[in-house]
Every structure is written in C-alpha cells, then in structure tokens.
Amino acid sequence: MKRLTSWVESANNPDTDFPLNNLPYGVFSTDEGPRCGVAIGDLIVDLCLLEEEGVVLISGEPVLDAPFFNEMMELGPKVWAELRARLTDLLILDGDDALSGDPDLLARALISQEDATMHLPIVVTEFTDFYSNRHHATNVGTMFRGAENALPPNWLHMPIGYNGRASTVVISETEIRRPWGQLKPPGQDMPYFGPSKRLDMELELGTILGTGVKMGQPVSVAEADQMIFGYVLLNDWSARDIQAWEYQPLGPFQSKAFATSISAWIVTAAALEPFRTEAEAREKPLLPYLCETKPMLYDISLEMDLTPDGDEQPTTIARTNYKEMYYSAAQQLCHHTIGGCQMNTGDLLGSGTISGPEPQSQGSMLELSLGGKQPLTLTNGQQRAFLEDGDTVTMSGHAQGPNYRVGFGHCSGKIAAAIAQPDWSK
Amino acid sequence: MKRLTSWVESANNPDTDFPLNNLPYGVFSTDEGPRCGVAIGDLIVDLCLLEEEGVVLISGEPVLDAPFFNEMMELGPKVWAELRARLTDLLILDGDDALSGDPDLLARALISQEDATMHLPIVVTEFTDFYSNRHHATNVGTMFRGAENALPPNWLHMPIGYNGRASTVVISETEIRRPWGQLKPPGQDMPYFGPSKRLDMELELGTILGTGVKMGQPVSVAEADQMIFGYVLLNDWSARDIQAWEYQPLGPFQSKAFATSISAWIVTAAALEPFRTEAEAREKPLLPYLCETKPMLYDISLEMDLTPDGDEQPTTIARTNYKEMYYSAAQQLCHHTIGGCQMNTGDLLGSGTISGPEPQSQGSMLELSLGGKQPLTLTNGQQRAFLEDGDTVTMSGHAQGPNYRVGFGHCSGKIAAAIAQPDWSK
C-alpha cells in the first residue's frame, strides 16, 4: 500500500511513526481531563470534540467522551472501519474539509503530542500472557530445565499461556518499582524475603480485543482474527529470582504481578493489514482448530534500548521482529476460547517474549546475559546482567511501508528502588 | 455468641442457614430487575428499597440500587459494620420498628426466597485461585509427580496461587458445559481435540475483597484480614485431562477457564467472627510477613453431594472443614500484595480445594476416586470416577453456633453435554 498524504505536514515525514496510514488511538489529557484521541504526525486530534461537534458520527450515543476506547470497540468491526474511513477523509490532503476548513475547530481539536499526557487507552478487563516464540521458549527452557527438556512436549501443539494480572497494567513511562518477594538462592535450605536481584523485562506485543465472545462459544482462528482491534508494545516485567522459586507447579504469580507496561497508542489491525506475513513452517502438524486460513503474523521490526540513570545515550540491546512468533494472536485467542472461556472487550493478550534466532535479537535480559553469566556491556562501559535501579528500558517498533512506517511510538519504564521493608506488625 | 432472635420467625429455626446472626448479602430479582438484598430465614429483605425509603442510610449517594455490592463494599469496614448493626436493629425482636411496624413497607420489602432468582452478588474484577490445603496438595502431587515429589519445595513457605479467569465466574445453578480441549492419552504420540473425559469439581471457599490496595503497597496479614468483606462457596470446575497436558510449565489455563461457580449469598467476615480458629502447627517456620497475629481460619463444616440426572437422592461424597487449610485467606491476600500487586474491590480469591485427612473428606473426584482408579459407588448403585453429563454437584456449608448456624446456602451446578464440534472453517 502506498503512502497517504495528509494536510498535517508532520504526518508526511517518512520517519514519523504516525502517518495517515497509521491513525492509532490513544487517551490523552491536557488541562482538560483524559479523553479519546488519534495521533497524526506530531499532533493529536481530539476525537471527543469531533464527536461532540458532529464532525465524526459513530452511534446514537456518544462513545468517545470516555477516558477509554472500550465503548467504541464494543460496537464492532463495521464501526471501526467507518471511523477509520471518516478520519482518513478528514485528514487526507484535499479530502473533506469539515476539520481542515474550520479554523476555530482546528484550533481546539489539534493538540501537540508534546503538550499532552498519555493514559491507558482502554480499561484492561483481563490480561493473559502467552509463551509463543520458539526462540524464547527454547532459550529459557534450556536455562530452567536443561537443553533436553527445553521445549515442553505440548509446546509445538498449542499456544501455551497463563492468566496474568490486569490491575497492574500501566501506561508507558510509569515508574517500575523493584518488587520484594520470596527468594531462595541455590544451595540454601530456606527462602528469605528481599528485593528481587534479577529484575528483567520481556519484549512483547500486546493484542487488544475489540469484541468478545460469550461463555461456551469457541471461535475459529478466522473469527478470532476479526475480534482483534489492535496492538500495543508490551513489557512483561519479570523478577526471575522470585519466578524460579514460586513457579512450580502452578506458573508465574508474584514474579509477574508487580507491573506490565504498554505503549500509549493502539495501532489498529486495519493499519497493519498490508504487513501480514506467514508464520514459519510447522514442525508438527497443528490440530485443525489451530490452522490459519491466511497469514496472521505481521512484519514489525522491534527494538529495545537500555539507558542507565543519568545517561543520555541509550544502548540498543536487542533488535527483533514480530514475524519470529510461532503462534499468531488469532491462534492464541482461538485457543483461549476452545473450552468455552468467555472473552470480553478490553481483554489484553501478551504475545510472549519476541526473540529472534541471533544473540542480539533476544527480548529479555535472562536470554541476553545467558541467565546472568555473560553480562552485556553498555555504550557507557557499564555491565548489566539484570536491571539496576535507575535503568530505563525503552521499546519501539514499526512496520515499514514504501516511504512511510506504521509505528508504535514507544513503551518505556524506569526502575525505581524497592520500597523500605514494610512493617508487618501493622 | 448466642443466638439473636428475630421477628422473622423462620430466622429462629435452628436449622436455617440464615438466622439474624448471619445476614448474608445477595443480588436477587423478581419481576423487577436485579438488586441488593439480605437473607433472613426464608425471606429476602430488599435493601435497595430500604435505602430508597431512607430506612437504611449508608452514604450521600445511593449504593444499594446497583445489581452488585461493589459500591457498598468500597466504602470500607466502618460502613460494613454500620449497615450490619442497622439491619440487626431493624430485624431483631423488639428492635427499631421502622420496618416491622410499617405494614406497607413490609409488604414491599420482604420477598420469599422461593420467588426470587439469584444473580452474581458482585462484579468479579479478577479471580485468583490458591492451592493452600496440605491434604489436597499432597494427594494431587502424589498422582501428578509421585509421593517423593508430592509437595513442591516452596509449598511450606508460601500460599501458592495462580491467576484464574474472572469472566467465567458464574452463580450457583448455572449449567456447566463439558469443555472441549486438547487431550493426550498416556502412550500416544500426538494430542487430539475432544470433550474432556475427566471432568471434576473442587470444593473451595471464595474470599471476596471489600477494599483494595494500590500498586506498590504491600499489606500485612492483619491489614489483609481487614480488607476481606466475606466468603462464598466456590466450585473450581476442572478438566483433569486437559490440565495434565497443558499445565507445564505455566500452570492451569483452559482446564479451569470454562467455569467457576459461586454460591449466591456472601457470608460476611463479621458473621463468621465467632468461629475463628487456629491453623495447624507449622512444619517449617513461616517468613515474618506471613505470620498471623490471631486465629484466621474459621470452623466451617462443608459437604459435597452428587446427584445423577433424574435421581432425587443425592449421595454425600465428601465432608470436610475449612479449618483444614494450611494458609488462611488473609495470608493468601498478604502474599498476593508483597511484590506490589494492586488488589481491587470485587477481587475473588479461591482457597484451593479443601480436603481433610480421611478418604471421604476430599474435595475433588481426582482424590476421591484415586485418579479414576477407584470409582465411587453412589446410593443408586451407579459408579463415578469423574463427572458424567447430567450429574449435579451441590456444595453446602455452615459454622455451628449454640442453637443456630451461620450457613452459606448452597453452590450447585449440573453438567451439560459438550457442544457439537464447532466448524473451524468459519
């Protein structure tokens, strides 16, 4: 697909994440409270205002006057397509001039991204995290269970996932507090209580469900694909030492529950449509319910930077691509429903850490430092096995079109020191 | 504590689950839509109406006109205590006659439980299920991993839990549909897709959080105890064959996601206060954050019945007690927050299956039938290794006082046949 040209000049810069081809949705605030917007170049269009003024019509009732997109998403794919078409028409060069030709409205409806504070774009109803990248599962499995048992026997047959915690999904730039937890160093007999010493990130893509499905109604992969509203960058912060001690037999719990960061802008499935790509060949045939009817991965380049406290120069520690996934979001969602699990608008699915085949394409410190044994050297000369207080992790990503990119902005978080030990006698 | 006498005569029957000492909260509907109520004897008092009429005053804004108790619970323990005191005063013999002395209000505010339909009493924000009963963990661990590795090394140091799925928490009497899933019989090389053949229940108590705690603010066991609004019976339906194949390495997922049933009436922590009891002695000392400052289990007798389709005679298949738990709900909640996980009003925590030491005190078919090897014989002569279509599982429970009981009503569900295999080409 070729680049669409907008009358918003910054949207035509080939390096912007937010050209007219993208139109990602986010919730922002200025002096006024949080409301729905769409990014274009370095600006935000106030969708709440456009709806209020009748320039954008969605349904009988207003749905964009909320500090989340759940109400709009619930209206389904037809409405999503109509809104996207209308916004394209309003923002394209020589399109409908209801916005571009109204100086008073323009002055009120366009906000510089620099002047805005971003908020979670959705109410996250529930959060599920998957484990669907073969490189990551092999790397981590080797460290936890040895090379022979790296890939669990079920891995090639299903997208393995676990339920995460929705209450601690936070917006990019939220400070991430180093968690306390139970730790049991190898060789010691008893655990002790202390701040995590092996704090890690996981580079993932988050899938946002636009529509749900009722209890007891499994969906096919093709149907699941239609339920997905869009994608965000996702950092599944992980405390590896807490995880190693707690995860048997019921999976990760407090090692993952302290925070999950997502990027501010929802890049819609519609914007990513031109970038669909096939998954790799299957080593073992999938059961019929998991077979894809068309390419369902996307060619999205991803990058992860680490910046120590006070430094201005980030070190790029990993470059990878979403097409490295073994299972797509549609397959994950289909699998999530096969027993009858109800899914709701606003549910968030994490892809699982997106690692590539090369050493510098791995999406976690656990992999990049070989379980802490080979620390990375940063551009300032410091070494890192795991994250230190003051470190900022920044993820970015985009799909590359001819002379434009559909970008995700960034997802970042800075590590804050653990709180003082609470007084348990309270 | 001695029995309180009510002017509602059925509340004074020593066998009723709902004497004046109990006052459990539930959401019911008649011809009118779902609204808040409290059970007394065989009646329900319409709390929405009492608030509307000013007979019960809670806060400036009405909070009982909703089809859930979340708004009331959020107001905190002081309000819970005031409401309980006010309702006691209104319902006790020779108390305040604002209700008992107003025939018109009485006619509108008292509803027979027989005429009401019950609904989920809360919006379940998130659901966490624990594994905190030593008998159950040992029995199941022996079957899954052998007697030597039955209790995982972390078990005696922390209440192990995993995040469950809130979207499929349903009210007692909701039909439970046998789930499809991936199954891999022992000895076979490849999994196949089919309805679960090893469908099971788990007898648990559900803890309902009345107040929450913000991200990054761990609470002590004593503080956690104050956040608990009340308890319900909980059936953590489980598909053992799906679970055995999927659960490594990240824990139960679709094997538990198809349904979790809870009883209709929230028995408050206040009503259970006289029944507090100590946990058993600790085999290994707990870390200081998990130490209890007072008895935090409750002496609650529990019973589980199985009734085959068309039968009128249930078979009692297990009798156990909540005091058999190794970790209390307060310890579970404290552990849930130690890394900084935010908890919210409406979060539901499952205790884990409550088994006792004897063979007929085990809370799952997996344990009762020794993994299916020793089927139970029902009173009608039929045998059961796992649940069959048409079977109804009914849980009940109560704390016994002198000449009264604080009861939970029941939590039941009937197994419906699996749906026809969906058309995956859709």
mmCIF file of all heavy atoms in Angstrom, chain B residues 402-415:
data_model
loop_
_atom_site.group_PDB
_atom_site.id
_atom_site.type_symbol
_atom_site.label_atom_id
_atom_site.label_comp_id
_atom_site.label_asym_id
_atom_site.label_seq_id
_atom_site.Cartn_x
_atom_site.Cartn_y
_atom_site.Cartn_z
ATOM 1 N N PRO B 402 -24.367 -22.058 69.142
ATOM 2 C CA PRO B 402 -25.324 -22.698 70.054
ATOM 3 C C PRO B 402 -26.763 -22.415 69.616
ATOM 4 O O PRO B 402 -27.240 -21.278 69.708
ATOM 5 C CB PRO B 402 -25.019 -22.047 71.413
ATOM 6 C CG PRO B 402 -24.282 -20.782 71.084
ATOM 7 C CD PRO B 402 -23.666 -20.928 69.736
ATOM 8 N N ASN B 403 -27.408 -23.447 69.090
ATOM 9 C CA ASN B 403 -28.805 -23.341 68.667
ATOM 10 C C ASN B 403 -29.014 -22.479 67.405
ATOM 11 O O ASN B 403 -30.107 -22.025 67.127
ATOM 12 C CB ASN B 403 -29.684 -22.818 69.813
ATOM 13 C CG ASN B 403 -31.050 -23.443 69.777
ATOM 14 O OD1 ASN B 403 -31.218 -24.540 69.229
ATOM 15 N ND2 ASN B 403 -32.037 -22.753 70.330
ATOM 16 N N TYR B 404 -27.963 -22.234 66.686
ATOM 17 C CA TYR B 404 -28.091 -21.568 65.375
ATOM 18 C C TYR B 404 -26.874 -21.921 64.521
ATOM 19 O O TYR B 404 -25.869 -22.427 65.049
ATOM 20 C CB TYR B 404 -28.203 -20.043 65.531
ATOM 21 C CG TYR B 404 -26.897 -19.354 65.878
ATOM 22 C CD1 TYR B 404 -26.084 -18.811 64.870
ATOM 23 C CD2 TYR B 404 -26.468 -19.257 67.199
ATOM 24 C CE1 TYR B 404 -24.880 -18.200 65.199
ATOM 25 C CE2 TYR B 404 -25.272 -18.635 67.521
ATOM 26 C CZ TYR B 404 -24.479 -18.107 66.516
ATOM 27 O OH TYR B 404 -23.291 -17.511 66.821
ATOM 28 N N ARG B 405 -26.984 -21.700 63.245
ATOM 29 C CA ARG B 405 -25.860 -21.911 62.332
ATOM 30 C C ARG B 405 -25.745 -20.722 61.380
ATOM 31 O O ARG B 405 -26.747 -20.145 60.958
ATOM 32 C CB ARG B 405 -26.027 -23.195 61.528
ATOM 33 C CG ARG B 405 -27.401 -23.349 60.890
ATOM 34 C CD ARG B 405 -27.398 -24.318 59.715
ATOM 35 N NE ARG B 405 -27.097 -25.681 60.099
ATOM 36 C CZ ARG B 405 -27.180 -26.712 59.258
ATOM 37 N NH1 ARG B 405 -27.556 -26.524 57.993
ATOM 38 N NH2 ARG B 405 -26.898 -27.911 59.653
ATOM 39 N N VAL B 406 -24.512 -20.367 61.084
ATOM 40 C CA VAL B 406 -24.257 -19.361 60.055
ATOM 41 C C VAL B 406 -23.945 -20.141 58.781
ATOM 42 O O VAL B 406 -22.864 -20.720 58.643
ATOM 43 C CB VAL B 406 -23.093 -18.440 60.459
ATOM 44 C CG1 VAL B 406 -22.676 -17.552 59.292
ATOM 45 C CG2 VAL B 406 -23.496 -17.589 61.667
ATOM 46 N N GLY B 407 -24.954 -20.197 57.883
ATOM 47 C CA GLY B 407 -24.828 -21.064 56.713
ATOM 48 C C GLY B 407 -24.595 -20.316 55.423
ATOM 49 O O GLY B 407 -24.818 -19.106 55.324
ATOM 50 N N PHE B 408 -24.143 -21.062 54.423
ATOM 51 C CA PHE B 408 -23.790 -20.490 53.109
ATOM 52 C C PHE B 408 -24.845 -20.776 52.047
ATOM 53 O O PHE B 408 -24.639 -20.416 50.891
ATOM 54 C CB PHE B 408 -22.445 -21.061 52.647
ATOM 55 C CG PHE B 408 -21.263 -20.456 53.358
ATOM 56 C CD1 PHE B 408 -20.952 -20.814 54.666
ATOM 57 C CD2 PHE B 408 -20.476 -19.510 52.724
ATOM 58 C CE1 PHE B 408 -19.871 -20.239 55.331
ATOM 59 C CE2 PHE B 408 -19.393 -18.933 53.381
ATOM 60 C CZ PHE B 408 -19.094 -19.299 54.683
ATOM 61 N N GLY B 409 -25.978 -21.421 52.418
ATOM 62 C CA GLY B 409 -26.875 -21.865 51.359
ATOM 63 C C GLY B 409 -26.169 -22.956 50.577
ATOM 64 O O GLY B 409 -25.492 -23.798 51.167
ATOM 65 N N HIS B 410 -26.284 -22.935 49.263
ATOM 66 C CA HIS B 410 -25.597 -23.978 48.509
ATOM 67 C C HIS B 410 -24.986 -23.412 47.236
ATOM 68 O O HIS B 410 -25.334 -22.323 46.778
ATOM 69 C CB HIS B 410 -26.563 -25.122 48.182
ATOM 70 C CG HIS B 410 -27.658 -24.703 47.261
ATOM 71 N ND1 HIS B 410 -28.859 -24.200 47.715
ATOM 72 C CD2 HIS B 410 -27.721 -24.660 45.904
ATOM 73 C CE1 HIS B 410 -29.621 -23.889 46.681
ATOM 74 N NE2 HIS B 410 -28.963 -24.158 45.581
ATOM 75 N N CYS B 411 -24.079 -24.202 46.682
ATOM 76 C CA CYS B 411 -23.457 -23.872 45.400
ATOM 77 C C CYS B 411 -23.585 -25.106 44.537
ATOM 78 O O CYS B 411 -22.982 -26.138 44.840
ATOM 79 C CB CYS B 411 -21.988 -23.517 45.609
ATOM 80 S SG CYS B 411 -21.121 -23.169 44.056
ATOM 81 N N SER B 412 -24.419 -25.033 43.505
ATOM 82 C CA SER B 412 -24.637 -26.233 42.708
ATOM 83 C C SER B 412 -24.486 -25.954 41.224
ATOM 84 O O SER B 412 -24.572 -24.804 40.770
ATOM 85 C CB SER B 412 -26.021 -26.818 43.001
ATOM 86 O OG SER B 412 -27.009 -26.084 42.337
ATOM 87 N N GLY B 413 -24.231 -27.004 40.483
ATOM 88 C CA GLY B 413 -24.107 -26.903 39.028
ATOM 89 C C GLY B 413 -24.346 -28.262 38.424
ATOM 90 O O GLY B 413 -23.914 -29.275 38.975
ATOM 91 N N LYS B 414 -25.052 -28.274 37.306
ATOM 92 C CA LYS B 414 -25.371 -29.530 36.612
ATOM 93 C C LYS B 414 -24.556 -29.595 35.320
ATOM 94 O O LYS B 414 -24.480 -28.603 34.581
ATOM 95 C CB LYS B 414 -26.871 -29.565 36.307
ATOM 96 C CG LYS B 414 -27.339 -30.871 35.685
ATOM 97 C CD LYS B 414 -28.855 -30.901 35.578
ATOM 98 C CE LYS B 414 -29.327 -32.217 34.973
ATOM 99 N NZ LYS B 414 -30.795 -32.338 35.006
ATOM 100 N N ILE B 415 -23.970 -30.738 35.070
ATOM 101 C CA ILE B 415 -23.117 -30.896 33.889
ATOM 102 C C ILE B 415 -23.991 -31.089 32.636
ATOM 103 O O ILE B 415 -24.824 -31.995 32.576
ATOM 104 C CB ILE B 415 -22.192 -32.122 34.029
ATOM 105 C CG1 ILE B 415 -21.400 -32.049 35.347
ATOM 106 C CG2 ILE B 415 -21.270 -32.251 32.831
ATOM 107 C CD1 ILE B 415 -20.516 -30.850 35.493
#
